[in-house]
Structures are given as C-alpha cells and as structure tokens.
C-alpha cells in the first residue's frame, strides 16, 4: 500500500497526516535556537553580515509558522474538506521549505564565498542535522520531504561545483544519495504508519460493528473465562440483570457481580447461586436451557456453551411475555372463563394432587355436586347476561363458604366440591350439610334480588376408595334423588342407589332395543264434543310393555328416552303408526301426536311429518301436533318458524298442558296455534273452588277471543262435565268421563256406537213428532 498520491488516501487519514505536521513544536523551537546560534557564531567569526540577516530570517519564519500553527489548532477539523486540508499542507510546506532554504543558502555561501573552515563546518553540520530531523516530523507529507531536501542540498551542491574544487565536487555528489535516502526513509515511515492507521481503522470499524451488534441484539450476552471472570457483557445483559455499568464489569467474577445485584437490585438472595448452578448444568449439557423467574414478573431463559479455552458464553432473553401468554392459556385451559373456578378436568387434577401429597393420611373424604334449581328460567326471564352475573355471584359465595374444600364448576349450573380428610364421617356430614344450608337464600345480580335454592348430592367414602369417575356417579345419583323429592334438598349417597342406578341403566338398554325393534305400541284417548255425541280427534299415546317388568309408566320411559337422546326415534314411530291407524277411522276423526322439545330443535321434523303423511296417505288436516311450553324455552324463534311451516301445510297445531309453565298467556298471541288444551289442574275441584272455576273461565274466554279452539283435559266426573257445559267452557273434552285410552280399533267401535245412538235418538224424535 503506497499512498504517494494524497487523493488515494482516505480523507480522515490524510487529515491525521497533515495534523502530525503541526505537532512537536518544541523541536521547531530547539531547531531555530540552534540555527540562530550557529549562524550568529559564523557571523562573529567571519564578520559576514549575511548571517545576521539569515538569523533574523530564521526568527521571522519561525514566528510566522507558529502563528499558522495556532490558527490550525483553532479550526474545526471535522469541517475540513480535502481541498482545505491540501491548502493547510501547502502552508506548512511553505514555512518548512523556507527554513530549509535559509539553511541551504547559509551553507552554500560558506562553501563558495567565505571559504572559512569553521563557517563551512558550522553551516553544513546544522543543515545535515536538520535534514535528519526532516524524516521524524515531516513523514506525513511527501511534498514537505522533497522540497526541504531540495532546499537544503541544492545550494550546497551548486556552490561546491562553482568552487571548482574536485574534492568538494565529489563530497557534494554524495548529497544526492543522502537526499534520496532521506526521501525513501520518510516514505517508508509514512507507508508503515499508513498501513497501521488503515488496519487500526478497520479494526475499529469491526469493533464498532461488533459493539453495535452486541448492544442492539435482543438477547443478553455474557462471556466469561475459565475462572468465571467476565470478559464481555452487552448492554441488554446489564438492563435485564441490573448489575451495574458494563464498562466496570470486565474481569469481575460473575458470581460476585450477581451477588452484588441480589443485594442492590431486584434479585432474591438465592437466585445468584441458582443461576450459576443451572448455568453450569446447561454448559455441561445436562440441561439444554433453563428458565428462571425473577421478581417484578420478569422471566429469563438462559442457554450456555463451553468455549475451547474453558470459558463459556452465556445467552439469555426476556421471555416474560411468552410466559405470561402461556400462563394465560394454561389458566384458560384449567379454569372456567365465567366463574374463575377450576373446570372439571383441573378440579380432578387438584384432587389427585391433594391425595398424592397426603397419601399417608387417613379419614373420610367428601364429594358433593350442587345444582341450581330452575336456573334456566332466570335466563329466559332476565336474559343470559343477568344469568351469567347471578352464576358468578353464586360461585363466589360457594367458594367463600367452602373453607378448605376444593371447588370447581362441573358444567352449566352445576358445581362440584371435594372435602379433604375429616376426623370422622359424622363431622364431615355436618360440614357438608352446613355448607349447603349457608349457600341457600337471596342473591343480587344487576340490581335484582333472586331467591335461589341449590339441590345437592354427596358421597362420603374412605380415601383408599377414591376414584374420580366413580365418586362423581355416586354424588350424581344422590343429586338425582334430591331433585326428585324437592328443590333445595340434599341427599347423601346410599348403597341402595347403586342398585337403582344399575337397574335404570339396564332399563335404558332395554328401551333402546325396544325402540330399535318397534316394540312399542299405541293407544288412543279420544276427544269428544262437549255433549259427548261425537269423537272429533284421538291423542296417540305410546306404551311399552317390558318382557320382564310388564307395563312401564309412560312418564318413566319417556323421561329415559329424553335422557338417552332417542325421543325423536319414538316420535317418528308414533307419527308413522298414528297416521296409518287414523286411515282406518271415520274421516271426521283426526289423530293428535305429541312432539318433544328435541323434535323441534331443527327442521328434520318437517321431513318426518311429510314422510308419515305420504306413507299413510292421511290428509294433513287430519293430523294434529301437540307441543308443550317446555319446547319453547331454548329457541323460541326457531320453534315458531317450524310450527308456522307445519301449519302452512294444513296441519293443526295445539299447545298441550296449558297453564303449567311460565309466561303461558304470551304464547297464545305469538305462536301459530289452533287449539289450546287446558291442563287437568284447572278442572280439579272446580265444583268446590270457585276461584279455580273463575280462572278456568277467564282463560277460556281469552283463548276464544284469539280464535282458538278449547280442549279441556282430565275431565273425570259427570259433575265436572256438567259444570263445564253449563258455562260453555269447552269445545272438546278429553278424560275418563267419556273414555280412557283405548286400542285403535276401539276408536272405530266408539264412533259407531255414538253414530248408532245418535240415529236412535233421531228416530225417537221423529216418532214423537
């Protein structure tokens, strides 16, 4: 690398070379002092006035150079352009060359004019000494070297030749290689320094880039030697660990630095040793990485790698956001989003963890399931938002009153509790019942007060008999027993419940087989005109005769079918069978079929009804479909749309058991209805209870105002029938007063008997007339 041309030298390097020319001013002062003394001595020895003048020239030139030096010191070097730097180089060269020229002139004059040995020796010695110093202070400018060498040597060479002295000429010729050598030496120094400056500059750039990369990387980095002393630490490591200024940590022991951080920053006192221990395991390969949690919700993940020299590189990053996200996801997986209680799965894990931790402990354990009674009606009447708020309030009270019991949300409106070891079963039984009693009563949600009751079932068993699924079944059996008795009750598991449960499961299996084999049969309860002279319709009722148990009550097996999800299969069977049987009856008699809430959850019922009518050939006008108010609870809008489409096809729609549910009157106006079947509870004791009779008559009048036909169910006595006819409260009557449910063929017989009786009465009237 030979920077002969300044234009090839980077500007900053060129500036550093030029700046070096303006340094070392004491050497200039010493030089001018020697020059003046030598020339004044020559003047005194020879009496030559020229040397006095040359001494003055030295002083003036030196003063001028010092002035330029001071000006150069004051200028802003960073604003200098290359052209300006070249100008300053020229200024320096002019001053240096002037000094060299004065020396050359003085030496040449002594050789050619004076011929005095002392003068020649003094002048040439001072000039040669100055030539030697040229290399030391002027290496930064090749121009300065060349011009100063020329200014010093040329006058001596010319004057030596003009003296016409052969030996002087030979000596003067030696000045040429001396000058060239001086020039070469200066160039060598300049090139060497230039290469080092460039190398240093490149190293600095690499170091700056490394430092920039190191201090801007998102990870903390610490490099230690074999003695665990810090060699490199970046800014991120300092920020994350809060362990002091990175510049002051070099060569410090990492353990000592961490212990200092534990004392004066946010770390716990135990964490430095934990970090060092786990980092050793990571570095040795027994761990791939390690996660350490610090105060202030900071989580750092560390990895380390051994170096060949025994040291290690430690890299760590802030994973607090990831840890928080994972914790949030884990919380969502483990806890119910609404109530904040453990869900079923995590509840089971908490119970298993407790049992594993207290495996040697003995004593009874408790397991309870709570069910909020009629909670569905809260959602229907107040909306799901209020229902959710009420559910949260109930959950909070259960958790508050549960003490050391583990509480979880089972599903919907059910909660599950686990009671840890107690001294004896009696104590635990009292504790469970006390908790159940404490959570009954009033709750407030959305500025509304609700009177809430919770039914409960529980099981108490020894810890060595614990099995999550088995206990859940036992508590659920006890809960079912509670709900079958009264709302807000509590029942403990008894071993007889297992037998009933097994029996019920067998009955469910038998029912599934019976439905699959079409082993059910139908009976029909006719609906008569209020005067009993004509059958208008007959309600199809499913019956099941068990091969071992005999006739199973309809309420029992219909409830089982709903639990099993096969109620729609029974509805399909009843529809097809009822429509076919109706085709054997007189044309004026229609058939009525009950639909369940499950049947109306989707539009499949439309297809089933159409297929039943098409298969039997029955006219749509002869098919009546009965629904109860429970069918409308889940999705009233969807149910209304399905009923409207059925009615549009000519099918008659009736609402059954009217008056036993909630908001009954609103359904009369909003649903596409034709018939209202008033529940038997309105008829019971109407002869003795005038209020009940008034309520019945009011309901009937309201329905008739809306153009609906009235069917009174459960009429069993002639007194009831007479009272209904007296007040004209019924269009049709259904009950044992006229007929119990009968086989299909009996409908034909009953209709024929009524027809015969009607004909006989007409003939008698004709004879009387």
């Amino acid at each position: 690398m030979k920077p002969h041309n300044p234009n090839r030298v980077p500007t900053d390097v060129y500036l550093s070379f030029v700046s070096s020319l303006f340094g070392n001013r004491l050497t200039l002062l010493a030089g001018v002092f020697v020059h003046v003394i030598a020339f004044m001595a020559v003047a005194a020895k020879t009496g030559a006035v020229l040397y006095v003048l040359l001494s003055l020239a030295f002083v003036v030139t030196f003063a001028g150079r010092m002035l330029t030096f001071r000006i150069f010191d004051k200028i802003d070097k960073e604003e200098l352009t290359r052209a300006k730097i070249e100008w300053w180089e020229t200024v320096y060269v002019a001053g240096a060359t002037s000094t060299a020229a004065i020396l050359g002139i003085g030496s040449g004059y002594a050789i050619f004019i004076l011929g005095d040995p002392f003068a020649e020796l003094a002048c040439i010695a001072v000039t040669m000494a100055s030539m030697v110093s040229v290399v030391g202070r002027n290496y930064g400018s090749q121009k300065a070297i060349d011009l100063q060498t020329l200014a010093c040597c040329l006058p001596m060479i010319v004057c030596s030749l003009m003296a016409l002295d052969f030996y002087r000429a030979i000596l003067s010729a030696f000045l040429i290689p001396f000058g060239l050598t001086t020039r070469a030496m200066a160039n060598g120094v300049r090139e060497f320094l230039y290469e080092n400056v460039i190398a240093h500059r490149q190293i600095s750039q690499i170091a700056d880039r490394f430092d920039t990369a190191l201090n801007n990387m998102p990870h903390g980095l610490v490099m230690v030697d074999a003695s665990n002393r810090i060699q490199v630490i970046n800014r991120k490591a300092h920020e994350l660990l809060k362990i002091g200024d990175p510049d002051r940590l070099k060569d410090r022991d990492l353990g000592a630095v961490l212990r200092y951080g534990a004392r004066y920053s946010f770390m716990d006192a135990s964490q430095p040793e934990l970090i060092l221990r786990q980092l050793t395991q990571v570095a040795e390969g027994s761990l791939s990485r390690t996660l350490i949690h610090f105060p202030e919700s900071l989580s750092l993940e560390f990895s380390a790698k051994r170096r060949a020299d025994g040291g290690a590189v430690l890299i760590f990053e802030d994973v607090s956001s990831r840890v928080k996200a994972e914790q949030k996801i884990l919380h969502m997986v483990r806890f119910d989003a609404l109530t904040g209680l453990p869900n079923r799965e995590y509840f089971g894990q908490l119970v298993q963890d407790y049992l594993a931790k207290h495996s040697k402990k003995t004593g009874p354990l408790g397991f309870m399931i709570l069910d909020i009674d009629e909670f569905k009606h809260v959602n229907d009447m107040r909306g799901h938002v209020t229902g959710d708020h009420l559910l949260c309030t109930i959950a909070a009270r259960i958790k508050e009153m549960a003490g050391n019991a583990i509480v979880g949300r089972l599903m919907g409106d059910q909660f599950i509790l686990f009671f840890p070891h107690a001294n004896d079963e009696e104590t635990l039984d009292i504790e469970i019942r006390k908790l159940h009693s404490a959570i009954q009563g009033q709750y407030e949600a959305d500025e509304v007060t609700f009177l809430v009751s919770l039914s409960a079932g529980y099981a108490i068993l020894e810890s060595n008999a614990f099995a999550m699924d088995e206990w859940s079944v036992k508590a659920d059996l006890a809960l079912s027993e509670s709900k079958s008795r009264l709302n807000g009750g509590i029942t403990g598991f008894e071993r007889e419940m297992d037998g009933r449960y097994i029996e019920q499961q067998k009955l469910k299996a038998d029912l599934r087989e019976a439905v699959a084999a079409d082993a059910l049969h139908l009976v029909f309860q006719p609906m008569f005109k209020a005067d009993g002279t004509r059958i208008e319709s007959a309600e199809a009722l499913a019956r099941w005769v068990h091969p071992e148990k005999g006739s199973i009550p309809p309420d029992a097996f219909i409830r089982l079918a709903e639990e099993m999800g096969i109620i729609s299969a029974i509805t399909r069977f009843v529809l097809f069978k009822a429509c076919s049987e109706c085709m054997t009856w007189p044309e004026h008699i229609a058939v009525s079929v009950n639909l369940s809430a499950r049947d109306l959850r989707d539009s499949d019922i439309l297809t089933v009804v159409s297929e039943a009518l098409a298969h039997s050939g029955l006219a749509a006008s002869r098919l009546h479909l009965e629904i109860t108010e429970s069918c409308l609870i889940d999705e009233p809008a969807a149910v209304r749309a399905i009923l409207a489409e059925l009615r549009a096809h000519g099918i008659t729609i009736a609402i059954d058991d009217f008056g036993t549910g909630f908001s009954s009157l609103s359904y009369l106006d909003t649903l596409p209805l034709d018939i209202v079947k008033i529940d038997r509870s309105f008829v019971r004791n109407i002869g003795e209870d005038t209020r009940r009779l008034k309520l019945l008559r009011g309901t009937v009048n309201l329905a008739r105002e809306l153009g609906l036909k009235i069917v009174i169910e459960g009429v069993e006595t002639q007194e009831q029938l007479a009272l209904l006819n007296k007040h004209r409260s019924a269009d049709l009557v259904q009950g044992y007063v006229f007929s119990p449910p009968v086989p299909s063929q009996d409908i034909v017989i009953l209709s024929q008997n009524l027809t015969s009786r009607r004909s006989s009465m007409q003939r008698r009237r004709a004879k009387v007339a």
Side-chain angles (χ1 to χ4, degrees):
M1 188 179 299
K2 296 183 179 182
H4 297 298
N5 188 346
N7 293 324
R8 297 179 185 173
V9 180
T11 301
D12 57 336
V13 178
Y14 182 36
L15 176 60
S16 69
F17 282 167
V18 173
S19 297
S20 70
L21 300 175
F22 288 88
N24 297 325
R25 297 168 194 182
L26 288 176
T27 60
L28 289 180
L29 179 60
V32 75
F33 179 76
V34 171
H35 296 161
V36 171
I37 295 297
F39 275 35
M40 288 302 292
V42 171
K45 175 69 170 58
T46 61
V49 179
L50 176 63
Y51 288 94
V52 176
L53 297 176
L54 291 176
S55 296
L56 291 174
F58 277 130
V59 173
V60 172
T61 302
F62 175 77
R65 294 181 72 186
M66 289 299 103
L67 180 61
T68 59
F69 278 30
R70 292 193 62 182
I71 296 173
F72 181 79
D73 289 341
K74 294 179 179 180
I75 62 173
D76 187 357
K77 308 296 189 298
E78 294 181 358
E79 295 183 358
L80 290 178
T81 61
R82 178 174 282 274
K84 198 67 176 176
I85 295 171
E86 290 179 0
W87 184 84
W88 278 106
E89 181 185 13
T90 302
V91 170
Y92 175 83
V93 169
T97 304
S98 300
T99 301
I102 295 171
L103 288 170
I105 292 170
S107 298
Y109 188 82
I111 293 170
F112 183 68
I113 302 297
L114 295 181
D116 183 80
F118 172 76
E120 290 183 18
L121 179 61
C123 291
I124 293 173
V126 170
T127 301
M128 290 299 100
S130 296
M131 285 290 294
V132 173
S133 69
V134 165
V135 176
R137 68 167 290 111
N138 295 279
Y139 63 85
S141 172
Q142 184 176 332
K143 189 191 301 182
I145 295 291
D146 292 343
L147 291 179
Q148 287 185 80
T149 302
L150 186 61
C152 286
C153 294
L154 185 59
M156 289 190 292
I157 294 172
V158 172
C159 290
S160 295
L161 293 176
M162 288 174 62
L164 301 177
D165 186 333
F166 174 74
Y167 295 102
R168 289 177 184 272
I170 292 175
L171 288 174
S172 65
F174 290 158
L175 292 175
I176 296 174
F178 174 76
L180 294 176
T181 302
T182 301
R183 186 175 188 271
M185 289 173 59
N187 287 339
V189 172
R190 184 169 59 255
E191 289 175 11
F192 175 77
L193 292 176
Y194 174 73
E195 290 174 359
N196 278 274
V197 167
I198 293 300
H200 181 268
R201 180 185 180 195
Q202 291 174 342
I203 292 172
S204 297
Q205 288 177 342
I206 293 172
D208 288 343
R209 291 170 185 167
F210 175 74
D211 188 64
T212 300
L214 195 66
N215 287 314
N216 285 281
M217 63 187 297
H219 298 66
L221 182 143
V222 178
M223 186 182 296
V224 296
D225 61 14
S227 301
N228 217 32
R229 290 191 301 270
I230 297 173
Q231 293 181 315
V232 176
I233 181 167
N234 69 349
R235 186 182 299 117
K236 193 65 176 180
H238 154 70
E239 293 174 357
L240 292 176
L241 297 177
K242 300 180 182 177
I243 51 176
D245 187 354
D247 296 334
R248 298 169 55 192
L249 299 178
K250 192 173 185 331
D251 297 325
R252 300 288 184 90
D253 182 77
L254 178 60
V257 170
L258 292 176
R259 284 189 288 273
Y260 177 86
R263 183 179 302 173
Y264 295 103
S265 69
F266 67 109
M267 270 190 282
D268 293 336
S270 62
Q271 286 183 316
E273 296 304 325
L274 174 64
I275 294 173
L276 292 174
R277 185 168 60 253
Q278 295 193 352
L279 291 182
T280 301
Q281 294 175 340
V282 172
E284 292 175 350
S286 57
L287 287 175
S288 61
R289 55 186 59 236
T290 183
L291 179 65
I292 300 177
H293 299 287
F294 295 85
E296 302 179 9
S297 301
L298 176 66
S299 299
L300 301 180
E301 188 172 57
F302 292 81
S303 62
K305 186 175 182 180
R306 284 290 180 194
R307 294 159 52 198
D309 61 359
V313 177
L314 166 66
I315 297 176
F316 52 96
E317 62 178 318
D318 183 358
V319 293
S320 303
S321 298
R322 190 190 78 193
V323 169
K324 288 178 183 177
E326 290 173 350
Q327 290 174 344
K328 185 176 181 180
I329 293 171
L330 187 61
H331 187 276
M332 292 170 64
V333 170
R334 289 178 168 180
F335 293 87
D336 173 56
L338 179 62
T339 63
L341 295 176
N343 57 27
R344 181 187 178 92
E345 290 74 17
Y346 188 50
F347 173 85
Q349 181 181 331
L350 292 175
V351 172
Q352 294 292 354
D353 292 344
Y354 170 84
L355 293 175
K357 186 176 180 181
H358 301 85
S359 57
K360 296 182 179 180
K361 197 170 184 179
T362 58
L365 302 171
F367 196 84
M368 179 167 68
I369 296 177
L370 294 168
D371 184 279
I372 305 174
D373 297 321
E374 298 181 351
F375 183 75
K376 197 171 190 63
H377 297 308
V378 176
N379 287 333
D380 295 336
M381 298 172 65
R382 296 289 180 178
H384 286 278
V385 174
T386 299
D388 288 347
H389 292 167
L390 177 59
L391 199 63
C392 291
T393 305
I394 295 172
R397 184 181 295 183
I398 294 173
K399 187 175 181 180
E400 178 185 356
M401 303 301 298
N404 60 347
I406 300 174
V407 184
R409 185 182 181 191
L410 187 60
M411 61 180 179
D413 56 0
Q414 289 188 344
F415 300 92
I416 189 167
L417 292 92
F418 171 81
F419 294 85
H421 293 91
N423 293 328
D424 53 70
E425 290 190 13
E426 183 179 356
T427 302
L428 184 55
D429 190 278
I430 293 173
E431 180 184 350
I432 291 174
R433 290 180 176 275
K434 183 178 179 181
L435 170 62
H436 176 257
S437 176
I439 59 177
Q440 312 288 330
Q442 293 184 342
Y443 290 82
E444 288 191 4
D446 295 341
E447 300 181 353
V448 178
T449 301
F450 296 89
L451 185 61
V452 176
S453 64
L454 293 93
S455 297
Y458 67 94
I460 297 177
L461 295 171
E462 288 296 323
S463 57
N464 56 7
F466 178 80
M468 181 73 177
D469 293 337
E470 181 182 342
W471 278 35
S472 180
V473 169
K474 293 181 185 300
D476 199 45
L477 289 175
L479 176 63
S480 298
E481 191 77 16
S482 293
K483 293 178 74 66
S484 66
R485 295 175 183 172
L486 74 163
N487 288 342
I490 180 170
T491 302
F493 172 78
E494 299 175 358
R495 298 198 179 279
E496 294 78 8
M497 294 179 184
D498 265 338
R500 289 198 295 269
Y501 174 73
I502 294 172
E503 187 68 24
Q504 187 182 55
Q505 294 304 108
K506 186 177 183 304
L507 191 62
K508 284 183 177 181
D510 294 341
L511 177 60
R512 190 181 297 277
E513 291 181 5
V515 172
D518 289 341
L520 304 182
H521 71 276
L522 300 183
V523 294
F524 300 87
Q525 186 170 27
M527 301 176 208
F528 290 78
K529 293 182 68 173
D531 58 6
T533 59
R534 178 182 169 103
I535 298 175
E536 293 288 331
S537 179
E539 181 180 0
L541 302 170
R543 294 291 186 265
W544 179 31
V545 179
H546 192 276
E548 298 176 2
K549 302 179 183 298
S551 181
I552 305 298
D555 290 348
F557 77 80
I558 291 298
R559 178 177 55 80
L560 290 180
E562 289 177 339
E563 292 177 5
M564 297 164 60
I566 61 173
I567 190 65
S568 293
I570 294 178
T571 300
R572 181 183 179 87
F573 165 77
V574 173
L575 272 169
F576 273 77
K577 186 71 173 175
C579 289
S580 297
E581 295 292 342
C582 187
M583 287 296 292
T584 66
W585 303 342
E587 292 187 0
H588 71 276
I589 300 178
V591 67
S592 186
V593 177
N594 290 284
L595 298 182
S596 70
R598 175 67 184 83
D599 296 325
L600 295 170
R601 286 180 184 171
D602 52 53
S603 58
D604 289 349
I605 189 63
L606 300 173
T607 304
V608 174
V609 170
S610 297
E611 290 176 351
L613 292 174
H615 178 267
S616 62
L618 185 71
S621 59
R622 295 183 65 190
L623 176 62
H624 297 184
L625 296 178
E626 298 184 13
I627 64 167
T628 61
E629 295 172 38
S630 63
C631 297
L632 306 167
I633 290 176
D634 289 336
E635 299 180 17
V639 172
R640 190 179 297 113
I642 292 173
L643 294 179
E645 186 165 351
L646 290 169
R647 192 164 181 258
H649 286 82
I651 297 169
T652 300
I653 305 299
I655 185 166
D656 194 15
D657 299 333
F658 181 79
T660 59
F662 291 82
S663 306
S664 299
L665 296 179
S666 66
Y667 294 142
L668 298 181
D669 182 45
T670 58
L671 291 175
L673 299 175
D674 301 289
I675 296 174
V676 175
K677 298 185 71 176
I678 296 178
D679 186 71
R680 64 181 67 245
S681 61
F682 280 79
V683 181
R684 191 180 301 118
N685 298 328
I686 59 173
E688 296 82 14
D689 191 343
T690 57
R691 288 172 60 85
R692 188 177 296 273
L693 178 61
K694 288 179 181 179
L695 180 61
L696 173 63
R697 291 179 62 190
T699 304
V700 168
N701 291 335
L702 177 62
R704 281 181 172 156
E705 286 292 327
L706 295 172
L708 300 175
K709 200 171 185 179
I710 306 299
V711 177
I712 305 294
E713 297 180 295
V715 181
E716 298 181 354
T717 66
Q718 289 294 333
E719 290 79 9
Q720 291 172 340
L721 179 62
L723 197 56
L724 292 174
N725 286 329
K726 177 182 176 181
H727 296 284
R728 300 179 62 190
S729 298
D731 297 311
L732 297 177
V733 171
Q734 183 180 19
Y736 279 74
V737 69
F738 285 133
S739 172
V742 296
S744 174
Q745 60 270 23
D746 287 5
I747 298 296
V748 178
I749 295 172
L750 285 173
S751 180
Q752 290 173 348
N753 290 340
L754 290 174
T755 301
S756 298
R757 188 184 308 166
R758 198 165 49 249
S759 298
S760 297
M761 291 179 63
Q762 289 175 350
R763 284 195 297 270
R764 282 198 295 270
R765 287 173 184 169
K767 288 179 181 180
V768 172

